[in-house]
Amino acid sequence: MNNYKALKYQRWSIVWTFVILVLCNIQLPESKGGSGFFFEGFDKLAHLGFFYVLTILLFYGKIKYQHSYRFRSLTIFKIIIISAVIGGGIELLQWKVFTYRSAEWWDFGCDMIGALMGVFSYILLHKSNFNEQKV
């Protein structure tokens, strides 16, 4: 029962995960330049942004669930692992199921950079929130 309550607070991150799965696995029209949908490197930028938002939504759900803004290293570790599993899963799907898409280590790397940017944002906001409470 407690897991259902925790999942209730993660509904936006779950919805966003499905959005990521769909957008990363749809067949895109061929671009004239051969690489990138809008410009070269757009795919990498999209992966970075998708996982930045996912990480922020995972932190948001966790903060809402615990009704506080506590800083915990275990939470950060779990969120990085969840992001890595989702990012790795997408690349595996692109490799084995959606073969019209290419699975790339660089995509996974951009997923993790986006997740780490989200962690950095969380830590930065936590520090500023902590400093405001002290004053």
Side-chain angles (χ1 to χ4, degrees):
M1 186 69 164
N2 197 19
N3 288 336
Y4 172 74
K5 184 179 178 188
L7 280 177
K8 178 179 89 170
Y9 289 102
Q10 291 295 343
R11 66 181 165 262
W12 290 113
S13 59
I14 293 168
V15 168
W16 186 247
T17 300
F18 283 114
V19 168
I20 292 172
L21 285 170
V22 169
L23 292 176
C24 285
N25 292 311
I26 60 172
Q27 190 167 6
L28 297 174
E30 292 294 320
S31 62
K32 293 182 183 183
S35 62
F37 184 58
F38 294 109
F39 54 86
E40 189 173 340
F42 174 77
D43 179 50
K44 308 304 180 254
L45 186 62
H47 277 268
L48 190 136
F50 289 158
F51 279 80
Y52 175 78
V53 172
L54 175 64
T55 304
I56 296 300
L57 290 173
L58 286 167
F59 277 119
Y60 177 77
K62 183 65 174 173
I63 291 166
K64 288 293 201 182
Y65 172 69
Q66 59 190 31
H67 301 293
S68 73
Y69 197 66
R70 289 181 297 186
F71 182 84
R72 300 185 75 189
S73 299
L74 183 60
T75 299
I76 292 172
F77 179 74
K78 286 179 183 178
I79 288 175
I80 291 172
I81 294 299
I82 289 168
S83 297
V85 168
I86 293 169
I90 287 171
E91 296 308 312
L92 285 173
L93 284 171
Q94 288 179 346
W95 180 43
K96 291 292 187 180
V97 178
F98 304 105
T99 55
Y100 49 83
R101 297 294 303 256
S102 63
E104 298 178 15
W105 283 107
W106 287 112
D107 287 348
F108 180 74
C110 288
D111 296 343
M112 293 299 90
I113 291 170
L116 292 174
M117 286 172 53
V119 168
F120 176 75
S121 297
Y122 170 73
I123 292 170
L124 186 68
L125 290 173
H126 177 270
K127 294 289 185 188
S128 67
N129 188 29
F130 180 75
N131 288 335
E132 284 179 13
Q133 289 177 357
K134 279 182 132 180
V135 175

